[in-house]
Amino acid sequence: MDYDIAIIGLGPAGATLARLLNPDLRILALDKKQECGEDGFQKPCGGLLATDAQRSFVRFGVNLPTSVLADPQIFSVKTYDLQTSLIRNYQRTYVNINRHRFDLWLKTLIPANVDVRHDSLCRKIIRQDDGYQIQFTDEGVHHLATAKYVVGADGANSMVRRMLYPEHEIRKYLSIQQWFTDKHPVPFYSCIFDNTVTDCYAWSMSKDGYFIVGGAFPMKNGNQHFENLKTRLLPYSFTFGDVVKTEKCIVLCPSKMSDFRCGQDNAFLIGEAAGFISASSLEGISYAFDSAEILSKIFNDNVSHPNRAYHKNTLKLRLKLFSKIVKAAILTSPFLRKLIMKSNISHVDIITPK
């Protein structure tokens, strides 16, 4: 074998795994993003670090640099139910970040012993008796490499997941978000529910002078649903100008326990490639960190049956994610959502200066 482990994708999951593995392991890491700069592949993402993701940095002993932070930092989420016109404010301790700079920074933490190939693309993975052959292009040049283990950290449209489970279908949405110059007098975050346009949810946020509006929509007619959402937001003082840019990607939304897939045959899935993403908020960075940490310990300890160990050790994580499926079913039910919001549980009144 050329390598012990080949990691496909260096988002939060892949970059964390590469950073935590023992230096005596031979590691190949392929990533679509360039090493630095604003060109090349960028993950469409609102860019908010939830509390669980922040807690991972505490465990890792890593501090977040100011270069990845976005302005402003807001401590409440305004929740809209467009079907009932109910609006509530809930306290949240998200950290507002520039997602692309965040991903590039995570890659800088990977130690020099890891063979990182930036701006590269995995073309094909072939199972062999003693491991895997990986075919990829690096700066336009075709390469072949072999590895004992393959780790899919390649997100919602994971090649590794499709290779391992070609017949399995997981619920998918089309995530669309647009950036506008922010014209609102007071910056804010929002969470938006409207079952007439999506049975998932939508969002908005202020970031570095821009206003971002996005949502997860059914794959069929997703663009039309997004435009309908913007129209329905206008009576709520949402202000849109000329579109600065539009971003789209596929996002997974697990709906049952079997949607969480850990891998098999010396191949592993971490982060969103494994289906490790919250069905209630579509937050996945914390689960990317958690699953990468679990798998790194298995590799570092040279466990004799790593697939079995990874499946066992992620049980708590999978149960937590299943609870998010239950929570999502409640929040996306118009009747139950109305009851919760009308109860004023956890709602914080906003004081308006006279």
Side-chain angles (χ1 to χ4, degrees):
M1 295 288 105
D2 300 319
Y3 299 92
D4 297 305
I5 304 166
I7 303 172
I8 314 301
L10 287 178
T16 300
L17 177 63
R19 179 173 59 83
L20 295 178
L21 290 171
N22 283 341
D24 57 341
L25 291 169
R26 297 168 298 160
I27 306 162
L28 171 68
L30 306 179
D31 190 50
K32 291 191 290 185
K33 296 183 296 298
Q34 296 182 1
E35 186 171 6
C36 59
E38 297 298 320
D39 296 329
F41 173 78
Q42 296 191 30
K43 169 76 172 181
C45 174
L48 297 177
L49 282 183
T51 303
D52 285 345
Q54 299 169 40
R55 191 175 296 115
S56 295
F57 285 117
V58 177
R59 291 199 311 274
F60 298 152
V62 174
N63 296 315
L64 200 64
T66 57
S67 61
V68 307
L69 297 179
D71 182 63
Q73 299 298 326
I74 304 174
F75 303 103
S76 68
V77 173
K78 186 177 289 188
T79 301
Y80 295 83
D81 186 335
L82 301 189
Q83 292 172 273
T84 60
S85 298
L86 289 171
I87 304 173
R88 295 292 184 266
N89 295 287
Y90 301 104
Q91 180 183 356
R92 293 292 185 271
T93 54
Y94 297 127
V95 174
N96 195 2
I97 61 170
N98 179 301
R99 175 59 194 269
H100 184 59
R101 291 201 299 261
F102 177 74
D103 283 352
L104 295 183
W105 167 70
L106 286 175
K107 290 208 295 182
T108 68
L109 304 180
I110 298 173
N113 64 284
V114 178
D115 184 2
V116 177
R117 305 296 181 96
H118 306 282
D119 197 17
S120 63
L121 186 63
C122 183
R123 297 290 185 180
K124 195 171 185 179
I125 301 172
I126 301 173
R127 176 78 165 120
Q128 297 179 329
D129 292 338
D130 52 353
Y132 290 88
Q133 181 191 85
I134 299 97
Q135 301 180 15
F136 65 97
T137 54
D138 180 11
E139 297 183 351
V141 179
H142 188 72
H143 296 270
L144 295 177
T146 55
K148 181 178 181 181
Y149 302 113
V150 167
V151 179
D154 44 347
N157 198 28
S158 169
M159 172 186 289
V160 183
R161 184 184 179 102
R162 295 197 309 270
M163 175 190 72
L164 295 175
Y165 307 106
E167 303 300 323
H168 180 72
E169 290 291 333
I170 183 172
R171 182 173 57 178
K172 298 181 178 70
Y173 288 94
L174 178 62
S175 175
I176 307 174
Q177 65 178 22
Q178 288 184 333
W179 294 57
F180 307 87
T181 300
D182 197 352
K183 298 180 180 180
H184 299 89
V186 179
F188 67 100
Y189 298 154
S190 75
C191 177
I192 305 156
F193 293 99
D194 185 351
N195 289 68
T196 67
V197 295
T198 180
D199 58 353
C200 193
Y201 84 105
W203 57 85
S204 78
M205 67 193 68
S206 299
K207 190 185 296 286
D208 289 336
Y210 295 99
F211 186 65
I212 303 172
V213 174
F217 303 94
M219 297 294 291
K220 186 177 181 180
N221 299 323
N223 292 302
Q224 184 59 53
H225 287 304
F226 177 59
E227 293 301 322
N228 292 343
L229 172 71
K230 290 194 296 180
T231 300
R232 289 175 61 82
L233 288 173
L234 292 176
Y236 295 88
S237 300
F238 280 68
T239 301
F240 310 111
D242 294 333
V243 177
V244 176
K245 63 178 176 178
T246 301
E247 300 174 320
K248 300 179 184 181
C249 70
I250 303 300
V251 63
L252 302 185
C253 189
S255 58
K256 53 188 180 298
M257 195 69 174
S258 61
D259 284 338
F260 307 125
R261 297 293 174 111
C262 297
Q264 59 191 12
D265 300 328
N266 285 346
F268 304 81
L269 298 171
I270 58 177
E272 192 175 359
F276 294 161
I277 184 171
S278 170
S280 63
S281 66
L282 302 183
E283 191 275 323
I285 294 177
S286 64
Y287 305 107
F289 288 158
D290 290 344
S291 55
E293 183 180 1
I294 291 169
L295 185 57
S296 71
K297 292 177 180 178
I298 292 170
F299 282 141
N300 290 341
D301 292 341
N302 195 26
V303 175
S304 57
H305 298 285
N307 281 111
R308 186 187 308 168
Y310 182 59
H311 187 267
K312 176 182 177 181
N313 293 354
T314 55
L315 176 59
K316 184 178 179 180
L317 181 64
R318 287 181 281 123
L319 290 174
K320 180 179 179 180
L321 283 161
F322 182 76
S323 74
K324 302 297 183 181
I325 295 175
V326 176
K327 181 180 179 181
I330 296 172
L331 293 178
T332 56
S333 163
F335 174 72
L336 296 177
R337 184 173 65 243
K338 179 180 179 181
L339 290 180
I340 294 170
M341 294 182 71
K342 292 197 72 167
S343 73
N344 283 336
I345 294 175
S346 300
H347 167 64
V348 179
D349 288 322
I350 302 297
I351 300 174
T352 303
K354 296 182 180 179

